[in-house]
Amino acid sequence: MSKEKAILTLDGKRIEFPVVRGTEGDVAIDISKLYEEHHITTFDPSLANTAVCKSTITYIDGDKGILRYRGIPIEQFVTNSPNFVEVAYLLLSGHLPTREEGITFRNRLTENELLNETMRYQFRSVPTSAPPMAQLSASLSNLACFHRDLFVLDTDDEFMDVSAQLISKIRTVAAFIYRRSQGLPYIYPNPNLRYCANFLHMMFSLPYAHHEVSPEVEDALNLILILHADHEQNCSAATVRTVGSSRANVFASCAAGISALWGPLHGGANVEVMEMLDGIHRGGLTPEDCIQMAKDKNNAFRLFGFGHRIYKNYDPRAKILREACDRVFATMKNQNDPLLNIARKLEELALADSYFIDRKLYPNVDFYSGLLLRAMGIPTNMFTVMFAIGRLPGWIAQWKEQHDTIGGRIIRPRQVYVGNTETNYIPVEQRP
Ligand code: SDX
């Protein structure tokens, strides 16, 4: 622990705090004893200035547009044949799998891809129009009912087992949600297919016709899931940590993460982006209209897919996805997706506009991801589900890091009370 000190003077008192420095130069003032010793709190409503943990999982430099998983730049995962399962293993274990570890993990995913048949009935308990994210969150909670033996994880093997359960089954759940919404029969997983091809098989095959997945599409889906796999203390990861800090099991914690991700300011933005692009395409709006509405403080509209709490530069994931759109569309029938041209136009207008420049608002991961998902035939209302499938390994890794924190305490923020001072109860007959 460094001997550096930060000093606060308040009400004539001089208070010293230890200083914490990260491996990439992050600097934090350790106030963990502040309330206990001085009955003073700090005030940071959106936690934009507050580090809630030390983590070794993901590093982001928002000014330079850097994103690394366990120290490896994300660009290096997508240059060759992108492999989401390998990245999931890296996030969960902290190291890239050896050949044998990789085979064992893949086998675990295959062994755990089927749902308990009883779970099928949960899908019938909601309308076919039920929001997929509501069903996904409920399904992850329900999975806990079939795996009570994995509530308490005492060994790494149990941790990898529950991770494989969740990472494998979330695909089957997502595909079943989609199939029921289309009135189609469920297509069961095929143990001979790799992770992404198996998912697309469950989504789009028919009992009499197997859905062939091209290498380009399989690579594109691996790439999308890799780019979504973790992002340090984002809203949903922080939710998973908070729930997990009460010693709730990993199923319940990740189900909570799904609910946090659903919001349009977070993972739900990829749906909003597509609806915005589609609105322009249908003729209701022009790109210029969107830019003006986004700048109008009296208008709740935001340029979805733009802006980020951490990135004050181009989101490196958006850059990769933008390039992937060109590459994948060139191999697919919808080479000239009008929505891609509209997205390009919006980006061009925004990046030249002082409102966006002054606020350092750049495209984020959600701006281009939907275009690729749409090209694969995945409907807009399933986009945030796809984000959740990608983010699940990151949530589990964050849950584990929180779970293993020595001396880890339940996360319970404080407040500044600004309500009534003490008042008396007034019987109803004496009220106005
Ligand atoms: C994700 O945290 C993560 O890492 C998240 C994520 C992950 O991988 O987990 O990266 C995934 O959630 C990406 C973000 C997806 N959301 C959107 O695309 C929704 C649109 N973007 C915004 O709502 C906003 O940019 C946020 C929510 C992403 C960030 O919000 P902040 O950090 O709280 O910023 P802010 O709302 O305080 O905005 C600062 C200024 C404000 O204007 P002023 O008050 O200074 O005049 O920028 C403006 C905002 O009005 N602004 C926008 C804008 N984003 C910010 N104005 C118009 N359009 C936008 N998109």
Side-chain angles (χ1 to χ4, degrees):
M1 174 82 109
S2 84
K3 297 286 183 215
E4 284 181 286
K5 296 287 181 200
I7 295 162
L8 170 74
T9 53
L10 180 63
D11 296 340
K13 274 202 292 187
R14 173 189 161 93
I15 307 171
E16 289 192 352
F17 301 96
V19 171
V20 178
R21 287 185 185 275
T23 44
E24 290 290 343
D26 324 20
V27 184
I29 300 169
D30 180 346
I31 58 165
S32 49
K33 298 274 190 268
L34 179 59
Y35 190 80
E36 182 186 333
E37 294 173 357
H38 302 281
H39 273 241
I40 299 171
T41 59
T42 56
F43 184 62
D44 185 19
S46 68
L47 299 181
N49 306 283
T50 299
V52 292
C53 63
K54 293 177 184 174
S55 182
T56 63
I57 301 170
T58 293
Y59 173 69
I60 299 174
D61 182 320
D63 294 327
K64 296 176 185 162
I66 290 172
L67 172 57
R68 300 179 193 144
Y69 295 153
R70 300 288 186 184
I72 302 173
I74 51 160
E75 293 79 5
Q76 296 186 21
F77 295 113
V78 297
T79 40
N80 306 313
S81 56
N83 182 336
F84 171 64
V85 167
E86 184 177 63
V87 170
Y89 186 94
L90 169 71
L91 290 169
L92 294 169
S93 68
H95 67 273
L96 289 166
T98 61
R99 197 176 301 279
E100 188 185 339
E101 288 169 332
I103 292 168
T104 303
F105 188 59
R106 272 201 304 278
N107 290 343
R108 267 187 163 152
L109 292 174
T110 301
E111 288 153 18
N112 291 300
E113 59 193 12
L114 272 177
L115 301 180
N116 182 300
E117 270 302 286
T118 315
M119 270 199 76
R120 283 182 43 166
Y121 299 109
Q122 68 163 24
F123 299 108
R124 292 195 319 206
S125 63
V126 296
T128 51
S129 60
M133 284 297 275
Q135 296 185 71
L136 192 71
S137 179
S139 300
L140 253 63
S141 275
N142 287 344
L143 272 177
C145 306
F146 300 90
H147 299 285
R148 294 176 62 92
D149 56 313
L150 294 173
F151 280 18
V152 177
L153 307 173
D154 295 319
T155 65
D156 284 345
D157 192 59
E158 287 175 341
F159 173 67
M160 289 312 270
D161 191 14
V162 76
S163 302
Q165 291 279 1
L166 279 160
I167 293 168
S168 191
K169 286 183 164 71
I170 194 171
R171 286 177 300 174
T172 313
V173 166
F176 280 20
I177 289 169
Y178 169 70
R179 298 292 289 196
R180 182 160 183 280
S181 74
Q182 302 299 306
L184 292 170
Y186 299 131
I187 296 294
Y188 281 64
N190 175 342
N192 302 314
L193 295 174
R194 295 171 72 92
Y195 191 87
C196 288
N198 207 354
F199 170 70
L200 293 170
H201 155 66
M202 290 189 275
M203 285 284 286
F204 301 123
S205 287
L206 292 170
Y208 48 84
H210 175 67
H211 176 76
E212 288 299 334
V213 179
S214 71
E216 294 79 12
V217 168
E218 187 174 1
D219 280 352
L221 186 50
N222 273 286
L223 179 145
I224 289 171
L225 297 182
I226 287 169
L227 294 178
H228 288 80
D230 191 56
H231 215 239
E232 54 131 289
Q233 304 311 312
N234 58 86
C235 178
S236 51
T239 301
V240 169
R241 278 183 175 259
T242 301
V243 174
S245 76
S246 73
R247 291 283 176 255
N249 63 72
V250 67
F251 298 93
S253 303
C254 291
I258 288 173
S259 298
L261 187 72
W262 193 358
L265 294 188
H266 190 13
N270 56 18
V271 174
E272 302 290 338
V273 169
M274 289 312 287
E275 287 172 1
M276 175 176 70
L277 298 178
D278 202 39
I280 295 171
H281 180 53
R282 285 199 309 267
L285 283 169
T286 66
E288 291 75 9
D289 291 338
C290 285
I291 295 294
Q292 289 316 311
M293 287 196 307
K295 292 161 64 174
D296 179 357
K297 289 302 170 198
N298 299 317
N299 192 324
F301 179 85
R302 292 213 144 178
L303 192 61
F304 286 98
F306 259 73
H308 200 277
R309 175 62 58 79
I310 307 289
Y311 290 121
K312 301 310 172 188
N313 199 327
Y314 214 103
D315 182 332
R317 302 168 296 176
K319 196 176 293 181
I320 293 169
L321 286 164
R322 188 180 189 278
E323 290 156 8
C325 283
D326 287 331
R327 195 169 58 250
V328 172
F329 283 17
T331 67
M332 301 175 81
K333 58 184 184 309
N334 52 356
Q335 293 188 22
N336 299 311
D337 184 342
L339 300 195
L340 178 57
N341 301 328
I342 292 168
R344 287 267 160 69
K345 179 65 178 169
L346 266 178
E347 177 182 344
E348 177 193 322
L349 290 171
L351 296 187
D353 186 296
S354 60
Y355 173 91
F356 294 86
I357 295 168
D358 296 349
R359 292 167 177 81
K360 297 183 179 178
L361 304 177
Y362 291 88
N364 59 49
V365 67
D366 292 304
F367 194 62
Y368 286 105
S369 56
L371 289 162
L372 274 176
L373 293 170
R374 192 172 96 113
M376 294 173 196
I378 295 171
T380 302
N381 72 345
M382 289 287 290
F383 284 2
T384 313
V385 169
M386 299 309 296
F387 193 142
I389 294 174
R391 184 53 53 87
L392 186 56
W395 285 334
I396 299 170
Q398 297 283 349
W399 179 91
K400 181 74 163 46
E401 192 172 66
Q402 169 72 30
H403 179 271
D404 291 352
T405 303
I406 295 168
R409 303 171 71 193
I410 192 168
I411 294 174
R412 198 271 187 224
R414 287 190 170 269
Q415 64 173 19
V416 174
Y417 177 71
V418 294
N420 292 336
T421 52
E422 186 172 355
T423 50
N424 294 316
Y425 177 83
I426 301 169
V428 65
E429 58 274 6
Q430 295 173 25
R431 294 171 207 163

mmCIF file of all heavy atoms in Angstrom, residues 253-272:
data_model
loop_
_atom_site.group_PDB
_atom_site.id
_atom_site.type_symbol
_atom_site.label_atom_id
_atom_site.label_comp_id
_atom_site.label_asym_id
_atom_site.label_seq_id
_atom_site.Cartn_x
_atom_site.Cartn_y
_atom_site.Cartn_z
ATOM 1 N N SER A 253 -28.317 -12.795 -9.441
ATOM 2 C CA SER A 253 -27.516 -11.587 -9.711
ATOM 3 C C SER A 253 -27.512 -11.261 -11.195
ATOM 4 O O SER A 253 -27.678 -10.101 -11.582
ATOM 5 C CB SER A 253 -26.093 -11.787 -9.203
ATOM 6 O OG SER A 253 -26.104 -12.107 -7.811
ATOM 7 N N CYS A 254 -27.363 -12.272 -12.033
ATOM 8 C CA CYS A 254 -27.356 -12.017 -13.485
ATOM 9 C C CYS A 254 -28.750 -11.680 -13.991
ATOM 10 O O CYS A 254 -28.898 -10.883 -14.919
ATOM 11 C CB CYS A 254 -26.792 -13.226 -14.228
ATOM 12 S SG CYS A 254 -25.018 -13.450 -13.934
ATOM 13 N N ALA A 255 -29.775 -12.236 -13.372
ATOM 14 C CA ALA A 255 -31.147 -11.867 -13.757
ATOM 15 C C ALA A 255 -31.363 -10.382 -13.490
ATOM 16 O O ALA A 255 -31.983 -9.669 -14.288
ATOM 17 C CB ALA A 255 -32.160 -12.705 -12.982
ATOM 18 N N ALA A 256 -30.806 -9.893 -12.393
ATOM 19 C CA ALA A 256 -30.903 -8.448 -12.082
ATOM 20 C C ALA A 256 -30.118 -7.640 -13.119
ATOM 21 O O ALA A 256 -30.559 -6.567 -13.558
ATOM 22 C CB ALA A 256 -30.363 -8.183 -10.683
ATOM 23 N N GLY A 257 -28.984 -8.166 -13.530
ATOM 24 C CA GLY A 257 -28.184 -7.479 -14.545
ATOM 25 C C GLY A 257 -28.946 -7.316 -15.847
ATOM 26 O O GLY A 257 -28.878 -6.266 -16.500
ATOM 27 N N ILE A 258 -29.730 -8.350 -16.194
ATOM 28 C CA ILE A 258 -30.535 -8.278 -17.427
ATOM 29 C C ILE A 258 -31.543 -7.141 -17.339
ATOM 30 O O ILE A 258 -31.734 -6.368 -18.280
ATOM 31 C CB ILE A 258 -31.249 -9.622 -17.664
ATOM 32 C CG1 ILE A 258 -30.221 -10.678 -18.088
ATOM 33 C CG2 ILE A 258 -32.337 -9.496 -18.744
ATOM 34 C CD1 ILE A 258 -30.770 -12.075 -18.194
ATOM 35 N N SER A 259 -32.141 -7.001 -16.168
ATOM 36 C CA SER A 259 -33.129 -5.918 -16.005
ATOM 37 C C SER A 259 -32.467 -4.550 -16.136
ATOM 38 O O SER A 259 -33.018 -3.644 -16.755
ATOM 39 C CB SER A 259 -33.832 -6.063 -14.654
ATOM 40 O OG SER A 259 -34.535 -7.297 -14.614
ATOM 41 N N ALA A 260 -31.287 -4.407 -15.575
ATOM 42 C CA ALA A 260 -30.574 -3.118 -15.697
ATOM 43 C C ALA A 260 -30.199 -2.862 -17.151
ATOM 44 O O ALA A 260 -30.318 -1.748 -17.666
ATOM 45 C CB ALA A 260 -29.333 -3.119 -14.825
ATOM 46 N N LEU A 261 -29.797 -3.893 -17.844
ATOM 47 C CA LEU A 261 -29.367 -3.742 -19.251
ATOM 48 C C LEU A 261 -30.533 -3.305 -20.130
ATOM 49 O O LEU A 261 -30.335 -2.624 -21.138
ATOM 50 C CB LEU A 261 -28.810 -5.068 -19.752
ATOM 51 C CG LEU A 261 -28.150 -5.049 -21.142
ATOM 52 C CD1 LEU A 261 -26.806 -4.323 -21.104
ATOM 53 C CD2 LEU A 261 -27.965 -6.473 -21.667
ATOM 54 N N TRP A 262 -31.729 -3.645 -19.777
ATOM 55 C CA TRP A 262 -32.928 -3.398 -20.593
ATOM 56 C C TRP A 262 -33.140 -1.907 -20.852
ATOM 57 O O TRP A 262 -33.674 -1.513 -21.890
ATOM 58 C CB TRP A 262 -34.129 -3.999 -19.867
ATOM 59 C CG TRP A 262 -35.401 -4.121 -20.655
ATOM 60 C CD1 TRP A 262 -35.650 -3.721 -21.939
ATOM 61 C CD2 TRP A 262 -36.624 -4.674 -20.158
ATOM 62 N NE1 TRP A 262 -36.949 -4.008 -22.279
ATOM 63 C CE2 TRP A 262 -37.570 -4.589 -21.214
ATOM 64 C CE3 TRP A 262 -37.019 -5.256 -18.957
ATOM 65 C CZ2 TRP A 262 -38.884 -5.053 -21.069
ATOM 66 C CZ3 TRP A 262 -38.322 -5.721 -18.825
ATOM 67 C CH2 TRP A 262 -39.236 -5.620 -19.876
ATOM 68 N N GLY A 263 -32.717 -1.058 -19.984
ATOM 69 C CA GLY A 263 -32.977 0.383 -20.110
ATOM 70 C C GLY A 263 -32.429 0.990 -21.399
ATOM 71 O O GLY A 263 -31.342 0.612 -21.858
ATOM 72 N N PRO A 264 -33.176 1.956 -22.004
ATOM 73 C CA PRO A 264 -32.746 2.543 -23.289
ATOM 74 C C PRO A 264 -31.454 3.361 -23.190
ATOM 75 O O PRO A 264 -30.811 3.633 -24.186
ATOM 76 C CB PRO A 264 -33.922 3.433 -23.698
ATOM 77 C CG PRO A 264 -34.702 3.655 -22.463
ATOM 78 C CD PRO A 264 -34.489 2.444 -21.590
ATOM 79 N N LEU A 265 -31.054 3.733 -21.973
ATOM 80 C CA LEU A 265 -29.778 4.453 -21.855
ATOM 81 C C LEU A 265 -28.610 3.484 -21.797
ATOM 82 O O LEU A 265 -27.458 3.890 -21.885
ATOM 83 C CB LEU A 265 -29.774 5.338 -20.597
ATOM 84 C CG LEU A 265 -30.761 6.505 -20.591
ATOM 85 C CD1 LEU A 265 -30.508 7.397 -19.377
ATOM 86 C CD2 LEU A 265 -30.700 7.323 -21.868
ATOM 87 N N HIS A 266 -28.907 2.204 -21.639
ATOM 88 C CA HIS A 266 -27.864 1.180 -21.512
ATOM 89 C C HIS A 266 -28.027 0.186 -22.671
ATOM 90 O O HIS A 266 -28.006 0.592 -23.817
ATOM 91 C CB HIS A 266 -27.980 0.537 -20.117
ATOM 92 C CG HIS A 266 -26.850 -0.365 -19.713
ATOM 93 N ND1 HIS A 266 -25.656 -0.454 -20.357
ATOM 94 C CD2 HIS A 266 -26.762 -1.249 -18.676
ATOM 95 C CE1 HIS A 266 -24.863 -1.336 -19.755
ATOM 96 N NE2 HIS A 266 -25.514 -1.845 -18.727
ATOM 97 N N GLY A 267 -28.248 -1.065 -22.389
ATOM 98 C CA GLY A 267 -28.298 -2.043 -23.477
ATOM 99 C C GLY A 267 -29.493 -1.881 -24.388
ATOM 100 O O GLY A 267 -29.471 -2.332 -25.536
ATOM 101 N N GLY A 268 -30.539 -1.243 -23.906
ATOM 102 C CA GLY A 268 -31.735 -1.050 -24.739
ATOM 103 C C GLY A 268 -31.503 -0.049 -25.861
ATOM 104 O O GLY A 268 -32.328 0.119 -26.748
ATOM 105 N N ALA A 269 -30.347 0.612 -25.834
ATOM 106 C CA ALA A 269 -30.069 1.636 -26.859
ATOM 107 C C ALA A 269 -29.977 1.023 -28.248
ATOM 108 O O ALA A 269 -30.334 1.676 -29.238
ATOM 109 C CB ALA A 269 -28.771 2.370 -26.524
ATOM 110 N N ASN A 270 -29.544 -0.257 -28.345
ATOM 111 C CA ASN A 270 -29.407 -0.838 -29.699
ATOM 112 C C ASN A 270 -30.767 -0.974 -30.380
ATOM 113 O O ASN A 270 -30.882 -0.869 -31.598
ATOM 114 C CB ASN A 270 -28.632 -2.155 -29.678
ATOM 115 C CG ASN A 270 -29.224 -3.199 -28.752
ATOM 116 O OD1 ASN A 270 -30.379 -3.118 -28.345
ATOM 117 N ND2 ASN A 270 -28.410 -4.195 -28.409
ATOM 118 N N VAL A 271 -31.813 -1.147 -29.561
ATOM 119 C CA VAL A 271 -33.172 -1.183 -30.140
ATOM 120 C C VAL A 271 -33.575 0.223 -30.580
ATOM 121 O O VAL A 271 -34.075 0.437 -31.686
ATOM 122 C CB VAL A 271 -34.184 -1.727 -29.096
ATOM 123 C CG1 VAL A 271 -35.609 -1.642 -29.631
ATOM 124 C CG2 VAL A 271 -33.826 -3.149 -28.693
ATOM 125 N N GLU A 272 -33.299 1.200 -29.719
ATOM 126 C CA GLU A 272 -33.644 2.603 -30.030
ATOM 127 C C GLU A 272 -32.924 3.083 -31.294
ATOM 128 O O GLU A 272 -33.480 3.825 -32.102
ATOM 129 C CB GLU A 272 -33.264 3.504 -28.854
ATOM 130 C CG GLU A 272 -33.916 3.159 -27.533
ATOM 131 C CD GLU A 272 -35.410 3.462 -27.520
ATOM 132 O OE1 GLU A 272 -35.856 4.290 -28.334
ATOM 133 O OE2 GLU A 272 -36.120 2.867 -26.698
#
